Amino acid sequence: MPSIPRTSDSEDPPPEGGERPNWLVSVLVVVVCLAVIASGWGVARLTLGSPLRPLEVADGPESRPPRTGAPSSEADPEDAESYVAVAAGLVEDSAAFHITFTVDDGSAGPEGSQASEGRERPDGPEGGEGSEAPDQERRAPRVLPASGGSADDARRAAGQPAAGAVPAAPAYPNVASGRGRVMYDATAEPEFDHFFTTTEGQSVYRYDVGDGQLMMTADRGLKLLDPPSEADGYLCSRGFGSAKLHEILETSSDLALVGLEEVDLRWPGQRSTHSAYLYTGTFSAKVGGYDKDSGVNTLTLVPNAEFELWIDEQGYPRRLDYRAAGGFAESYEYHSFS
C-alpha cells in the first residue's frame, strides 16, 4: 500500500500525460489533513518526517466530571452483573472519555512488574514520610527468608525468581510491556485515538476518523485499515472503552461484590479519589498488540485472569487491575466522562 509522501520545500512535478494520482493516496491525504487540523501532534510529525514522540504526562483532555445522579437503571450494586452492565452502557453512551493503561508482559518476573509504570512514585528516599505507594505495591507481600535459609530460598518458595535471574520470555507474543492512553470525543477529528508505547520505545498510534474509517501508524507509515480485522476494530474504535467490562460479563463465572471503598487513580497529572464498589473474580481477557514483522494489529486471549474492578456510585468504571499466569498484567484507569 502506498504511504503518505513526505512534505518538502520543493514540489514534485505534475504527473505525465494527465495521469490521475492513486485514489487511495488522495483519500489518505484528505484524512491526514483532517487529523492534523484536529490533533496535529501525531500525524503532523509523521508527514513532516519527524520521529514519533513518547506519551507526555500532560497529554489528554481536561478532566470532565461525569454526569450527576444515579444511573437510569438504578441497578443494585449487589447485583454484580447488572451493575457491571450499567457501567459498560454508561461508557458507551458517553460523548467523550479518557482512559490510561499499563501492560506488563511478565518477562521481568513478579518483582519487575510494569503494571504500575507511569503512576506517580512517592517522593524522596524510601518513599518519605506521608507518602503512599500505589495499591499494587501496597498489596505485594514482602518476602523474608525463613530461619536458616537464604533470601533466594524465600523468593523461590514464594514463586519469585532468584536475584540476578534471567528474565523469562513474554507469555504472549506481540504483546509488550508499556503504557498508553485512549481518548474519545464525538466532536473531534479524529474522534478516537489510541496511543501505546513500549518500554523499548516502539510507538503505535491508532485512529477512528469517522464513518467507519480506521487508521494506524507505527514504523511503516500511515495506513488505512480497509477492510479492518477484528484486532483493528478492537483497538481503533470507541468500543475499546467498554471492551474489558463486556469480557468480564461474558466470561466470568465468579464475579462478586466485595464492598464499598475508596479507589485512587494515580496516573501523573490525573490523580483523583473516588468512592467505588469493588468487584473481584476471574475472566478471559482480550489483549491487543502489534506484530512488528507483518505490521498488523493482533488480538490475544489471556485466560483465567484474576481481576479487581472498581465502579463508582454513579455507575462509572474507575479502575481495573488484572493478572494472569506467567506474571502478565494490565491496569486501566478511567479518568473522565462527559
Side-chain angles (χ1 to χ4, degrees), residues 67 71-76 79-94 97 99 238 241-246 248-249 255 277 279 309-319 334 337:
R67 286 169 288 191
S72 57
S73 68
E74 297 185 354
D76 185 348
D79 184 346
E81 289 190 8
S82 295
Y83 209 66
V84 175
V86 164
L90 288 175
V91 175
E92 291 161 357
D93 290 341
S94 295
F97 56 72
I99 301 170
R238 64 171 299 180
S242 60
K244 287 291 181 289
L245 301 176
H246 285 293
I248 289 174
L249 289 171
L255 171 63
Y277 297 100
Y279 297 88
L309 169 65
W310 288 264
I311 301 176
D312 70 20
E313 293 179 282
Q314 295 177 2
Y316 288 89
R318 286 302 172 184
R319 183 166 158 189
Y334 302 79
F337 302 91

mmCIF file of all heavy atoms in Angstrom, residues 67 71-76 79-94 97 99 238 241-246 248-249 255 277 279 309-319 334 337:
data_model
loop_
_atom_site.group_PDB
_atom_site.id
_atom_site.type_symbol
_atom_site.label_atom_id
_atom_site.label_comp_id
_atom_site.label_asym_id
_atom_site.label_seq_id
_atom_site.Cartn_x
_atom_site.Cartn_y
_atom_site.Cartn_z
ATOM 1 N N ARG A 67 -21.578 12.675 34.464
ATOM 2 C CA ARG A 67 -22.935 13.172 34.688
ATOM 3 C C ARG A 67 -23.374 12.878 36.119
ATOM 4 O O ARG A 67 -23.036 11.841 36.680
ATOM 5 C CB ARG A 67 -23.891 12.520 33.691
ATOM 6 C CG ARG A 67 -23.734 13.069 32.286
ATOM 7 C CD ARG A 67 -24.489 12.228 31.287
ATOM 8 N NE ARG A 67 -23.834 10.944 31.086
ATOM 9 C CZ ARG A 67 -24.159 10.100 30.104
ATOM 10 N NH1 ARG A 67 -25.122 10.405 29.276
ATOM 11 N NH2 ARG A 67 -23.525 8.975 29.970
ATOM 12 N N PRO A 71 -27.429 6.093 37.906
ATOM 13 C CA PRO A 71 -27.695 5.548 36.577
ATOM 14 C C PRO A 71 -29.193 5.391 36.352
ATOM 15 O O PRO A 71 -29.961 5.147 37.289
ATOM 16 C CB PRO A 71 -26.983 4.186 36.612
ATOM 17 C CG PRO A 71 -25.940 4.336 37.677
ATOM 18 C CD PRO A 71 -26.524 5.259 38.697
ATOM 19 N N SER A 72 -29.603 5.516 35.100
ATOM 20 C CA SER A 72 -31.035 5.488 34.804
ATOM 21 C C SER A 72 -31.681 4.175 35.226
ATOM 22 O O SER A 72 -32.845 4.142 35.602
ATOM 23 C CB SER A 72 -31.247 5.720 33.304
ATOM 24 O OG SER A 72 -30.550 4.748 32.537
ATOM 25 N N SER A 73 -30.915 3.084 35.173
ATOM 26 C CA SER A 73 -31.493 1.791 35.547
ATOM 27 C C SER A 73 -31.577 1.615 37.061
ATOM 28 O O SER A 73 -32.317 0.762 37.537
ATOM 29 C CB SER A 73 -30.652 0.659 34.949
ATOM 30 O OG SER A 73 -29.392 0.619 35.577
ATOM 31 N N GLU A 74 -30.765 2.439 37.813
ATOM 32 C CA GLU A 74 -30.699 2.325 39.264
ATOM 33 C C GLU A 74 -30.461 0.875 39.688
ATOM 34 O O GLU A 74 -31.104 0.349 40.595
ATOM 35 C CB GLU A 74 -31.968 2.882 39.913
ATOM 36 C CG GLU A 74 -32.179 4.371 39.653
ATOM 37 C CD GLU A 74 -33.365 4.942 40.392
ATOM 38 O OE1 GLU A 74 -34.099 4.156 41.013
ATOM 39 O OE2 GLU A 74 -33.561 6.163 40.350
ATOM 40 N N ALA A 75 -29.511 0.251 39.042
ATOM 41 C CA ALA A 75 -29.176 -1.140 39.361
ATOM 42 C C ALA A 75 -28.607 -1.228 40.771
ATOM 43 O O ALA A 75 -27.916 -0.323 41.246
ATOM 44 C CB ALA A 75 -28.157 -1.680 38.355
ATOM 45 N N ASP A 76 -28.892 -2.311 41.441
ATOM 46 C CA ASP A 76 -28.394 -2.561 42.785
ATOM 47 C C ASP A 76 -26.939 -3.015 42.681
ATOM 48 O O ASP A 76 -26.646 -4.005 41.996
ATOM 49 C CB ASP A 76 -29.242 -3.646 43.437
ATOM 50 C CG ASP A 76 -28.855 -3.887 44.888
ATOM 51 O OD1 ASP A 76 -27.797 -3.391 45.322
ATOM 52 O OD2 ASP A 76 -29.609 -4.598 45.580
ATOM 53 N N ASP A 79 -26.161 -6.629 42.833
ATOM 54 C CA ASP A 79 -26.382 -7.430 41.627
ATOM 55 C C ASP A 79 -25.201 -7.153 40.706
ATOM 56 O O ASP A 79 -25.244 -6.255 39.868
ATOM 57 C CB ASP A 79 -27.701 -7.045 40.965
ATOM 58 C CG ASP A 79 -28.037 -7.913 39.769
ATOM 59 O OD1 ASP A 79 -27.144 -8.638 39.283
ATOM 60 O OD2 ASP A 79 -29.193 -7.851 39.298
ATOM 61 N N ALA A 80 -24.126 -7.915 40.905
ATOM 62 C CA ALA A 80 -22.846 -7.603 40.270
ATOM 63 C C ALA A 80 -22.947 -7.511 38.751
ATOM 64 O O ALA A 80 -22.445 -6.562 38.137
ATOM 65 C CB ALA A 80 -21.805 -8.648 40.666
ATOM 66 N N GLU A 81 -23.589 -8.483 38.127
ATOM 67 C CA GLU A 81 -23.669 -8.487 36.664
ATOM 68 C C GLU A 81 -24.422 -7.264 36.149
ATOM 69 O O GLU A 81 -24.001 -6.625 35.174
ATOM 70 C CB GLU A 81 -24.325 -9.773 36.173
ATOM 71 C CG GLU A 81 -23.453 -11.005 36.337
ATOM 72 C CD GLU A 81 -24.038 -12.210 35.609
ATOM 73 O OE1 GLU A 81 -25.019 -12.028 34.866
ATOM 74 O OE2 GLU A 81 -23.508 -13.311 35.789
ATOM 75 N N SER A 82 -25.517 -6.923 36.798
ATOM 76 C CA SER A 82 -26.291 -5.769 36.361
ATOM 77 C C SER A 82 -25.505 -4.474 36.518
ATOM 78 O O SER A 82 -25.559 -3.587 35.652
ATOM 79 C CB SER A 82 -27.608 -5.679 37.137
ATOM 80 O OG SER A 82 -28.446 -6.774 36.850
ATOM 81 N N TYR A 83 -24.744 -4.368 37.608
ATOM 82 C CA TYR A 83 -24.012 -3.128 37.849
ATOM 83 C C TYR A 83 -22.856 -2.971 36.867
ATOM 84 O O TYR A 83 -22.572 -1.859 36.394
ATOM 85 C CB TYR A 83 -23.507 -3.085 39.281
ATOM 86 C CG TYR A 83 -23.391 -1.674 39.815
ATOM 87 C CD1 TYR A 83 -24.528 -0.893 40.014
ATOM 88 C CD2 TYR A 83 -22.155 -1.111 40.121
ATOM 89 C CE1 TYR A 83 -24.440 0.414 40.494
ATOM 90 C CE2 TYR A 83 -22.049 0.179 40.604
ATOM 91 C CZ TYR A 83 -23.199 0.940 40.785
ATOM 92 O OH TYR A 83 -23.099 2.222 41.252
ATOM 93 N N VAL A 84 -22.174 -4.068 36.533
ATOM 94 C CA VAL A 84 -21.114 -4.009 35.523
ATOM 95 C C VAL A 84 -21.709 -3.678 34.152
ATOM 96 O O VAL A 84 -21.124 -2.920 33.372
ATOM 97 C CB VAL A 84 -20.317 -5.326 35.479
ATOM 98 C CG1 VAL A 84 -19.297 -5.311 34.337
ATOM 99 C CG2 VAL A 84 -19.602 -5.558 36.806
ATOM 100 N N ALA A 85 -22.878 -4.231 33.863
ATOM 101 C CA ALA A 85 -23.547 -3.921 32.594
ATOM 102 C C ALA A 85 -23.911 -2.439 32.515
ATOM 103 O O ALA A 85 -23.805 -1.815 31.446
ATOM 104 C CB ALA A 85 -24.794 -4.788 32.428
ATOM 105 N N VAL A 86 -24.365 -1.861 33.644
ATOM 106 C CA VAL A 86 -24.656 -0.423 33.680
ATOM 107 C C VAL A 86 -23.392 0.371 33.376
ATOM 108 O O VAL A 86 -23.407 1.337 32.600
ATOM 109 C CB VAL A 86 -25.221 -0.030 35.058
ATOM 110 C CG1 VAL A 86 -25.165 1.488 35.253
ATOM 111 C CG2 VAL A 86 -26.655 -0.516 35.203
ATOM 112 N N ALA A 87 -22.270 -0.035 33.959
ATOM 113 C CA ALA A 87 -21.007 0.660 33.723
ATOM 114 C C ALA A 87 -20.625 0.629 32.249
ATOM 115 O O ALA A 87 -20.213 1.640 31.677
ATOM 116 C CB ALA A 87 -19.903 0.036 34.577
ATOM 117 N N ALA A 88 -20.774 -0.539 31.626
ATOM 118 C CA ALA A 88 -20.456 -0.648 30.203
ATOM 119 C C ALA A 88 -21.348 0.274 29.378
ATOM 120 O O ALA A 88 -20.884 0.959 28.449
ATOM 121 C CB ALA A 88 -20.613 -2.098 29.743
ATOM 122 N N GLY A 89 -22.628 0.324 29.729
ATOM 123 C CA GLY A 89 -23.558 1.171 28.994
ATOM 124 C C GLY A 89 -23.251 2.651 29.146
ATOM 125 O O GLY A 89 -23.368 3.420 28.180
ATOM 126 N N LEU A 90 -22.828 3.071 30.342
ATOM 127 C CA LEU A 90 -22.502 4.476 30.556
ATOM 128 C C LEU A 90 -21.269 4.894 29.756
ATOM 129 O O LEU A 90 -21.206 6.012 29.235
ATOM 130 C CB LEU A 90 -22.282 4.743 32.047
ATOM 131 C CG LEU A 90 -23.538 4.725 32.919
ATOM 132 C CD1 LEU A 90 -23.173 4.886 34.389
ATOM 133 C CD2 LEU A 90 -24.502 5.822 32.503
ATOM 134 N N VAL A 91 -20.292 4.011 29.657
ATOM 135 C CA VAL A 91 -19.121 4.311 28.831
ATOM 136 C C VAL A 91 -19.542 4.476 27.371
ATOM 137 O O VAL A 91 -19.141 5.417 26.685
ATOM 138 C CB VAL A 91 -18.050 3.213 28.959
ATOM 139 C CG1 VAL A 91 -16.895 3.474 27.993
ATOM 140 C CG2 VAL A 91 -17.528 3.120 30.387
ATOM 141 N N GLU A 92 -20.376 3.566 26.914
ATOM 142 C CA GLU A 92 -20.801 3.597 25.510
ATOM 143 C C GLU A 92 -21.691 4.795 25.194
ATOM 144 O O GLU A 92 -21.713 5.266 24.051
ATOM 145 C CB GLU A 92 -21.511 2.286 25.175
ATOM 146 C CG GLU A 92 -20.573 1.098 25.168
ATOM 147 C CD GLU A 92 -21.279 -0.247 25.296
ATOM 148 O OE1 GLU A 92 -22.518 -0.265 25.444
ATOM 149 O OE2 GLU A 92 -20.583 -1.272 25.264
ATOM 150 N N ASP A 93 -22.410 5.293 26.189
ATOM 151 C CA ASP A 93 -23.279 6.447 25.978
ATOM 152 C C ASP A 93 -22.556 7.783 26.143
ATOM 153 O O ASP A 93 -23.130 8.830 25.856
ATOM 154 C CB ASP A 93 -24.462 6.407 26.957
ATOM 155 C CG ASP A 93 -25.439 5.280 26.629
ATOM 156 O OD1 ASP A 93 -25.401 4.786 25.494
ATOM 157 O OD2 ASP A 93 -26.217 4.906 27.528
ATOM 158 N N SER A 94 -21.307 7.757 26.606
ATOM 159 C CA SER A 94 -20.569 8.990 26.847
ATOM 160 C C SER A 94 -20.155 9.644 25.530
ATOM 161 O O SER A 94 -19.740 8.967 24.591
ATOM 162 C CB SER A 94 -19.321 8.715 27.695
ATOM 163 O OG SER A 94 -19.674 8.270 28.987
ATOM 164 N N PHE A 97 -14.530 10.328 26.573
ATOM 165 C CA PHE A 97 -13.917 9.707 27.739
ATOM 166 C C PHE A 97 -12.410 9.693 27.572
ATOM 167 O O PHE A 97 -11.874 9.861 26.473
ATOM 168 C CB PHE A 97 -14.458 8.296 28.010
ATOM 169 C CG PHE A 97 -14.348 7.314 26.871
ATOM 170 C CD1 PHE A 97 -13.130 6.777 26.478
ATOM 171 C CD2 PHE A 97 -15.493 6.893 26.193
ATOM 172 C CE1 PHE A 97 -13.035 5.854 25.445
ATOM 173 C CE2 PHE A 97 -15.414 5.973 25.153
ATOM 174 C CZ PHE A 97 -14.177 5.446 24.776
ATOM 175 N N ILE A 99 -9.029 7.413 29.083
ATOM 176 C CA ILE A 99 -8.570 6.219 29.784
ATOM 177 C C ILE A 99 -7.055 6.114 29.639
ATOM 178 O O ILE A 99 -6.518 6.393 28.571
ATOM 179 C CB ILE A 99 -9.229 4.942 29.210
ATOM 180 C CG1 ILE A 99 -10.758 5.030 29.318
ATOM 181 C CG2 ILE A 99 -8.719 3.687 29.930
ATOM 182 C CD1 ILE A 99 -11.476 3.917 28.556
ATOM 183 N N ARG A 238 -14.099 3.329 19.464
ATOM 184 C CA ARG A 238 -14.541 3.680 20.821
ATOM 185 C C ARG A 238 -14.969 2.478 21.645
ATOM 186 O O ARG A 238 -15.029 2.546 22.880
ATOM 187 C CB ARG A 238 -15.689 4.678 20.747
ATOM 188 C CG ARG A 238 -16.958 4.146 20.088
ATOM 189 C CD ARG A 238 -18.118 5.102 20.253
ATOM 190 N NE ARG A 238 -18.445 5.316 21.654
ATOM 191 C CZ ARG A 238 -19.420 6.103 22.080
ATOM 192 N NH1 ARG A 238 -20.162 6.760 21.219
ATOM 193 N NH2 ARG A 238 -19.667 6.237 23.369
ATOM 194 N N GLY A 241 -13.273 1.320 24.940
ATOM 195 C CA GLY A 241 -13.542 1.858 26.266
ATOM 196 C C GLY A 241 -14.322 0.933 27.168
ATOM 197 O O GLY A 241 -14.134 0.933 28.392
ATOM 198 N N SER A 242 -15.219 0.138 26.605
ATOM 199 C CA SER A 242 -16.046 -0.767 27.416
ATOM 200 C C SER A 242 -15.712 -2.239 27.175
ATOM 201 O O SER A 242 -16.378 -3.118 27.731
ATOM 202 C CB SER A 242 -17.527 -0.534 27.101
ATOM 203 O OG SER A 242 -17.794 -0.769 25.722
ATOM 204 N N ALA A 243 -14.703 -2.516 26.367
ATOM 205 C CA ALA A 243 -14.408 -3.895 25.974
ATOM 206 C C ALA A 243 -14.135 -4.799 27.163
ATOM 207 O O ALA A 243 -14.669 -5.919 27.245
ATOM 208 C CB ALA A 243 -13.222 -3.914 25.007
ATOM 209 N N LYS A 244 -13.303 -4.348 28.104
ATOM 210 C CA LYS A 244 -12.955 -5.208 29.241
ATOM 211 C C LYS A 244 -14.174 -5.503 30.104
ATOM 212 O O LYS A 244 -14.304 -6.597 30.675
ATOM 213 C CB LYS A 244 -11.859 -4.550 30.079
ATOM 214 C CG LYS A 244 -10.490 -4.583 29.422
ATOM 215 C CD LYS A 244 -9.951 -5.998 29.378
ATOM 216 C CE LYS A 244 -8.576 -6.079 28.747
ATOM 217 N NZ LYS A 244 -8.598 -5.843 27.293
ATOM 218 N N LEU A 245 -15.086 -4.545 30.226
ATOM 219 C CA LEU A 245 -16.297 -4.781 31.019
ATOM 220 C C LEU A 245 -17.142 -5.877 30.376
ATOM 221 O O LEU A 245 -17.690 -6.750 31.068
ATOM 222 C CB LEU A 245 -17.096 -3.490 31.136
ATOM 223 C CG LEU A 245 -16.353 -2.307 31.780
ATOM 224 C CD1 LEU A 245 -17.215 -1.053 31.751
ATOM 225 C CD2 LEU A 245 -15.946 -2.644 33.218
ATOM 226 N N HIS A 246 -17.261 -5.854 29.051
ATOM 227 C CA HIS A 246 -18.019 -6.897 28.365
ATOM 228 C C HIS A 246 -17.315 -8.250 28.483
ATOM 229 O O HIS A 246 -17.987 -9.292 28.592
ATOM 230 C CB HIS A 246 -18.215 -6.528 26.896
ATOM 231 C CG HIS A 246 -19.247 -5.468 26.674
ATOM 232 N ND1 HIS A 246 -20.593 -5.684 26.937
ATOM 233 C CD2 HIS A 246 -19.153 -4.187 26.244
ATOM 234 C CE1 HIS A 246 -21.278 -4.590 26.664
ATOM 235 N NE2 HIS A 246 -20.427 -3.660 26.247
ATOM 236 N N ILE A 248 -15.582 -9.281 31.003
ATOM 237 C CA ILE A 248 -15.918 -9.783 32.350
ATOM 238 C C ILE A 248 -17.326 -10.352 32.360
ATOM 239 O O ILE A 248 -17.568 -11.453 32.882
ATOM 240 C CB ILE A 248 -15.760 -8.652 33.382
ATOM 241 C CG1 ILE A 248 -14.280 -8.331 33.592
ATOM 242 C CG2 ILE A 248 -16.420 -9.033 34.711
ATOM 243 C CD1 ILE A 248 -14.023 -7.137 34.480
ATOM 244 N N LEU A 249 -18.276 -9.637 31.787
ATOM 245 C CA LEU A 249 -19.665 -10.105 31.771
ATOM 246 C C LEU A 249 -19.810 -11.420 31.009
ATOM 247 O O LEU A 249 -20.600 -12.290 31.385
ATOM 248 C CB LEU A 249 -20.567 -9.037 31.141
ATOM 249 C CG LEU A 249 -20.809 -7.778 31.974
ATOM 250 C CD1 LEU A 249 -21.528 -6.731 31.152
ATOM 251 C CD2 LEU A 249 -21.606 -8.109 33.236
ATOM 252 N N LEU A 255 -17.874 -13.536 39.359
ATOM 253 C CA LEU A 255 -17.961 -12.100 39.599
ATOM 254 C C LEU A 255 -18.710 -11.854 40.908
ATOM 255 O O LEU A 255 -19.819 -12.358 41.091
ATOM 256 C CB LEU A 255 -18.681 -11.420 38.433
ATOM 257 C CG LEU A 255 -19.059 -9.947 38.578
ATOM 258 C CD1 LEU A 255 -17.812 -9.086 38.717
ATOM 259 C CD2 LEU A 255 -19.902 -9.515 37.382
ATOM 260 N N TYR A 277 -17.474 0.777 44.332
ATOM 261 C CA TYR A 277 -17.716 -0.621 44.690
ATOM 262 C C TYR A 277 -16.633 -1.480 44.062
ATOM 263 O O TYR A 277 -16.330 -1.358 42.869
ATOM 264 C CB TYR A 277 -19.091 -1.071 44.194
ATOM 265 C CG TYR A 277 -20.226 -0.316 44.835
ATOM 266 C CD1 TYR A 277 -20.853 0.741 44.165
ATOM 267 C CD2 TYR A 277 -20.674 -0.645 46.113
ATOM 268 C CE1 TYR A 277 -21.890 1.451 44.758
ATOM 269 C CE2 TYR A 277 -21.713 0.054 46.713
ATOM 270 C CZ TYR A 277 -22.315 1.104 46.036
ATOM 271 O OH TYR A 277 -23.335 1.801 46.627
ATOM 272 N N TYR A 279 -15.332 -5.079 42.827
ATOM 273 C CA TYR A 279 -15.755 -6.398 42.356
ATOM 274 C C TYR A 279 -14.513 -7.216 42.014
ATOM 275 O O TYR A 279 -13.529 -6.686 41.497
ATOM 276 C CB TYR A 279 -16.644 -6.279 41.113
ATOM 277 C CG TYR A 279 -17.939 -5.546 41.365
ATOM 278 C CD1 TYR A 279 -18.009 -4.155 41.234
ATOM 279 C CD2 TYR A 279 -19.092 -6.222 41.753
ATOM 280 C CE1 TYR A 279 -19.190 -3.472 41.482
ATOM 281 C CE2 TYR A 279 -20.280 -5.544 41.998
ATOM 282 C CZ TYR A 279 -20.322 -4.174 41.863
ATOM 283 O OH TYR A 279 -21.487 -3.492 42.107
ATOM 284 N N LEU A 309 -12.083 -4.831 40.018
ATOM 285 C CA LEU A 309 -12.759 -3.793 39.247
ATOM 286 C C LEU A 309 -13.486 -2.850 40.205
ATOM 287 O O LEU A 309 -14.274 -3.308 41.041
ATOM 288 C CB LEU A 309 -13.761 -4.430 38.280
ATOM 289 C CG LEU A 309 -14.749 -3.495 37.572
ATOM 290 C CD1 LEU A 309 -14.023 -2.533 36.634
ATOM 291 C CD2 LEU A 309 -15.789 -4.318 36.806
ATOM 292 N N TRP A 310 -13.223 -1.557 40.073
ATOM 293 C CA TRP A 310 -13.895 -0.548 40.887
ATOM 294 C C TRP A 310 -14.869 0.250 40.023
ATOM 295 O O TRP A 310 -14.481 0.799 38.971
ATOM 296 C CB TRP A 310 -12.884 0.412 41.498
ATOM 297 C CG TRP A 310 -12.047 -0.174 42.602
ATOM 298 C CD1 TRP A 310 -12.275 -0.089 43.948
ATOM 299 C CD2 TRP A 310 -10.824 -0.920 42.460
ATOM 300 N NE1 TRP A 310 -11.275 -0.724 44.656
ATOM 301 C CE2 TRP A 310 -10.378 -1.249 43.763
ATOM 302 C CE3 TRP A 310 -10.073 -1.338 41.353
ATOM 303 C CZ2 TRP A 310 -9.203 -1.969 43.992
ATOM 304 C CZ3 TRP A 310 -8.917 -2.064 41.567
ATOM 305 C CH2 TRP A 310 -8.495 -2.376 42.879
ATOM 306 N N ILE A 311 -16.129 0.332 40.451
ATOM 307 C CA ILE A 311 -17.168 1.096 39.756
ATOM 308 C C ILE A 311 -17.752 2.079 40.765
ATOM 309 O O ILE A 311 -18.161 1.670 41.866
ATOM 310 C CB ILE A 311 -18.276 0.179 39.203
ATOM 311 C CG1 ILE A 311 -17.673 -0.845 38.231
ATOM 312 C CG2 ILE A 311 -19.362 0.997 38.511
ATOM 313 C CD1 ILE A 311 -18.691 -1.854 37.708
ATOM 314 N N ASP A 312 -17.792 3.366 40.408
ATOM 315 C CA ASP A 312 -18.213 4.356 41.396
ATOM 316 C C ASP A 312 -19.718 4.309 41.642
ATOM 317 O O ASP A 312 -20.457 3.546 41.014
ATOM 318 C CB ASP A 312 -17.715 5.757 41.018
ATOM 319 C CG ASP A 312 -18.417 6.349 39.800
ATOM 320 O OD1 ASP A 312 -19.531 5.910 39.443
ATOM 321 O OD2 ASP A 312 -17.849 7.274 39.177
ATOM 322 N N GLU A 313 -20.165 5.149 42.552
ATOM 323 C CA GLU A 313 -21.562 5.102 42.991
ATOM 324 C C GLU A 313 -22.534 5.627 41.939
ATOM 325 O O GLU A 313 -23.746 5.449 42.073
ATOM 326 C CB GLU A 313 -21.716 5.889 44.298
ATOM 327 C CG GLU A 313 -20.981 5.235 45.458
ATOM 328 C CD GLU A 313 -21.118 6.020 46.741
ATOM 329 O OE1 GLU A 313 -20.410 7.040 46.887
ATOM 330 O OE2 GLU A 313 -21.931 5.620 47.601
ATOM 331 N N GLN A 314 -22.013 6.254 40.896
ATOM 332 C CA GLN A 314 -22.854 6.672 39.782
ATOM 333 C C GLN A 314 -22.884 5.631 38.672
ATOM 334 O O GLN A 314 -23.606 5.775 37.697
ATOM 335 C CB GLN A 314 -22.362 8.009 39.223
ATOM 336 C CG GLN A 314 -22.488 9.155 40.216
ATOM 337 C CD GLN A 314 -21.935 10.447 39.666
ATOM 338 O OE1 GLN A 314 -21.483 10.505 38.528
ATOM 339 N NE2 GLN A 314 -21.983 11.494 40.457
ATOM 340 N N GLY A 315 -22.074 4.584 38.816
ATOM 341 C CA GLY A 315 -22.071 3.514 37.831
ATOM 342 C C GLY A 315 -20.931 3.572 36.836
ATOM 343 O O GLY A 315 -20.852 2.720 35.937
ATOM 344 N N TYR A 316 -20.017 4.537 36.971
ATOM 345 C CA TYR A 316 -18.899 4.650 36.032
ATOM 346 C C TYR A 316 -17.719 3.796 36.488
ATOM 347 O O TYR A 316 -17.368 3.806 37.668
ATOM 348 C CB TYR A 316 -18.445 6.104 35.910
ATOM 349 C CG TYR A 316 -19.409 6.980 35.159
ATOM 350 C CD1 TYR A 316 -20.438 7.641 35.831
ATOM 351 C CD2 TYR A 316 -19.304 7.144 33.787
ATOM 352 C CE1 TYR A 316 -21.331 8.446 35.152
ATOM 353 C CE2 TYR A 316 -20.194 7.951 33.098
ATOM 354 C CZ TYR A 316 -21.203 8.596 33.782
ATOM 355 O OH TYR A 316 -22.090 9.390 33.094
ATOM 356 N N PRO A 317 -17.080 3.073 35.568
ATOM 357 C CA PRO A 317 -15.866 2.336 35.946
ATOM 358 C C PRO A 317 -14.769 3.329 36.295
ATOM 359 O O PRO A 317 -14.666 4.391 35.696
ATOM 360 C CB PRO A 317 -15.520 1.542 34.680
ATOM 361 C CG PRO A 317 -16.088 2.369 33.555
ATOM 362 C CD PRO A 317 -17.351 2.976 34.110
ATOM 363 N N ARG A 318 -13.951 2.966 37.263
ATOM 364 C CA ARG A 318 -12.869 3.856 37.663
ATOM 365 C C ARG A 318 -11.503 3.203 37.554
ATOM 366 O O ARG A 318 -10.523 3.856 37.230
ATOM 367 C CB ARG A 318 -13.103 4.364 39.092
ATOM 368 C CG ARG A 318 -14.197 5.414 39.174
ATOM 369 C CD ARG A 318 -13.854 6.605 38.287
ATOM 370 N NE ARG A 318 -14.946 7.568 38.186
ATOM 371 C CZ ARG A 318 -14.894 8.642 37.415
ATOM 372 N NH1 ARG A 318 -13.826 8.874 36.680
ATOM 373 N NH2 ARG A 318 -15.909 9.473 37.355
ATOM 374 N N ARG A 319 -11.433 1.908 37.836
ATOM 375 C CA ARG A 319 -10.136 1.238 37.736
ATOM 376 C C ARG A 319 -10.361 -0.255 37.550
ATOM 377 O O ARG A 319 -11.303 -0.833 38.107
ATOM 378 C CB ARG A 319 -9.305 1.503 38.992
ATOM 379 C CG ARG A 319 -7.905 0.889 38.945
ATOM 380 C CD ARG A 319 -7.044 1.474 40.035
ATOM 381 N NE ARG A 319 -5.938 0.589 40.361
ATOM 382 C CZ ARG A 319 -5.125 0.765 41.387
ATOM 383 N NH1 ARG A 319 -5.308 1.778 42.205
ATOM 384 N NH2 ARG A 319 -4.142 -0.068 41.622
ATOM 385 N N TYR A 334 -9.883 4.947 34.523
ATOM 386 C CA TYR A 334 -10.912 5.661 33.772
ATOM 387 C C TYR A 334 -11.062 7.044 34.411
ATOM 388 O O TYR A 334 -11.665 7.189 35.460
ATOM 389 C CB TYR A 334 -12.228 4.890 33.829
ATOM 390 C CG TYR A 334 -12.142 3.476 33.297
ATOM 391 C CD1 TYR A 334 -11.604 2.450 34.082
ATOM 392 C CD2 TYR A 334 -12.596 3.156 32.016
ATOM 393 C CE1 TYR A 334 -11.515 1.145 33.601
ATOM 394 C CE2 TYR A 334 -12.519 1.850 31.527
ATOM 395 C CZ TYR A 334 -11.970 0.863 32.316
ATOM 396 O OH TYR A 334 -11.904 -0.425 31.845
ATOM 397 N N PHE A 337 -15.441 11.342 31.993
ATOM 398 C CA PHE A 337 -16.538 11.050 31.072
ATOM 399 C C PHE A 337 -17.366 12.316 30.892
ATOM 400 O O PHE A 337 -17.401 13.165 31.773
ATOM 401 C CB PHE A 337 -17.447 9.942 31.625
ATOM 402 C CG PHE A 337 -16.746 8.645 31.910
ATOM 403 C CD1 PHE A 337 -16.198 8.378 33.156
ATOM 404 C CD2 PHE A 337 -16.651 7.680 30.919
ATOM 405 C CE1 PHE A 337 -15.566 7.180 33.420
ATOM 406 C CE2 PHE A 337 -16.018 6.471 31.171
ATOM 407 C CZ PHE A 337 -15.461 6.223 32.419
#
